[in-house]
């Protein structure tokens, strides 16, 4: 069984913990009052019966790292991104400052770590009392899959997008593993 380390990162108060709890089927989905994550929370769960592009059935053990958006924990980032298979960048659509911040997260956690764009996706999260502004992503971010998320509106589509993302993460991992094996054989 493939064990996937997935980071859920992004600015503070973007909805990372709510989405992480939802995907892991944890009990606290909304929790009422905002409680910032201190450093990181790791949620472990299984996603079984995924389909790869070659129609292979995949079972994945997921380590979902719900990472604090507070810059006070920036010194912990190297430990967080070590051996990461995929990254989900979450931002609050209602907070225009988040649009500028997410490119920083992409640079540090995806580009500089050598991850492919298929190993990253954006969750443009809409909080229950939020409006739905249109967000224009530019540069590297415009190449990423962006899913507009709302726990109140079509929650199962969020889970399905996550399962599809895990399949892409597995395929990138398998391609890298195969490449490393060929390199060993050819040397």
């Amino acid at each position: 069984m493939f064990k996937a380390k997935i980071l859920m990162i992004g600015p503070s108060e973007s909805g990372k913990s709510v989405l992480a709890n939802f995907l892991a089927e944890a009990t606290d989905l909304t929790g009422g009052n905002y409680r910032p994550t201190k450093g990181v929370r790791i949620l472990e769960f299984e996603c079984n019966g995924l389909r790869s592009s070659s129609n292979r059935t995949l079972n994945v053990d997921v380590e979902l790292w719900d990472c604090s958006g507070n810059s006070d924990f920036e010194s912990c980032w190297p430990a967080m991104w070590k051996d990461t298979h995929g990254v989900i960048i979450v931002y609050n659509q209602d907070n225009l400052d988040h649009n500028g911040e997410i490119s920083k997260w992409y640079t540090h956690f995806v580009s500089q770590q050598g991850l492919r764009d298929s190993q990253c996706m954006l969750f443009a999260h809409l909080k229950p009392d939020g409006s739905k502004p249109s967000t224009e992503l530019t540069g590297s971010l415009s190449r990423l899959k962006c899913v507009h998320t709302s726990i109140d509106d079509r929650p199962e589509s969020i889970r399905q997008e996550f399962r599809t993302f895990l399949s892409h993460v597995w395929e990138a991992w398998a391609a890298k593993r195969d490449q490393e094996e060929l390199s060993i054989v050819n040397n």
Side-chain angles (χ1 to χ4, degrees):
M1 184 177 291
F2 173 57
K3 185 165 191 158
K5 178 180 176 181
I6 307 296
L7 301 184
M8 187 165 279
I9 60 172
S12 293
E13 297 188 57
S14 57
K16 297 180 297 292
S17 294
V18 171
L19 287 165
N21 287 343
F22 172 73
L23 292 171
E25 297 182 10
T27 54
D28 181 22
L29 288 180
T30 56
N33 295 336
Y34 173 69
R35 291 176 308 197
T37 301
K38 304 287 186 208
V40 67
R41 291 182 324 128
I42 302 171
L43 294 92
E44 296 181 282
F45 57 99
E46 292 180 6
C47 279
N48 296 318
L50 305 178
R51 290 278 180 215
S52 70
S53 61
S54 61
N55 211 25
R56 180 176 170 179
T57 301
L58 308 171
N59 296 320
V60 180
D61 275 337
V62 178
E63 270 187 15
L64 185 59
W65 290 48
D66 174 16
C67 303
S68 173
N70 188 323
S71 61
D72 290 348
F73 299 103
E74 198 168 326
S75 63
C76 301
W77 288 2
M80 291 177 189
W81 66 51
K82 183 179 180 351
D83 300 327
T84 296
H85 298 105
V87 173
I88 299 172
I89 302 172
V90 180
Y91 68 102
N92 179 347
Q93 298 181 74
D94 289 330
N95 188 331
L96 297 178
D97 292 337
H98 283 188
N99 294 341
E101 286 186 53
I102 57 177
S103 59
K104 173 187 81 167
W105 293 94
Y106 176 83
T107 298
H108 286 289
F109 284 88
V110 180
S111 295
Q112 292 179 356
Q113 303 316 308
L115 295 178
R116 299 176 180 177
D117 284 346
S118 65
Q119 293 171 271
C120 180
M121 74 183 308
L122 295 167
F123 277 176
H125 190 57
L126 184 64
K127 294 190 175 185
D129 58 349
S131 59
K132 198 167 192 171
S134 62
T135 305
E136 189 70 32
L137 299 171
T138 59
S140 301
L141 298 173
S142 66
R143 297 190 312 256
L144 300 177
K145 170 83 174 180
C146 184
V147 177
H148 294 273
T149 62
S150 170
I151 299 298
D152 297 332
D153 192 29
R154 295 181 35 224
E156 283 309 308
S157 66
I158 299 168
R159 191 167 280 126
Q160 185 55 48
E161 291 286 356
F162 179 73
R163 292 173 61 84
T164 301
F165 172 67
L166 282 178
S167 296
H168 294 306
V169 166
W170 178 86
E171 289 171 353
W173 170 81
K176 183 178 179 183
R177 180 200 58 201
D178 292 348
Q179 186 178 32
E180 288 171 354
E181 288 175 359
L182 278 175
S183 174
I184 292 169
V185 169
N186 292 334
N187 286 332

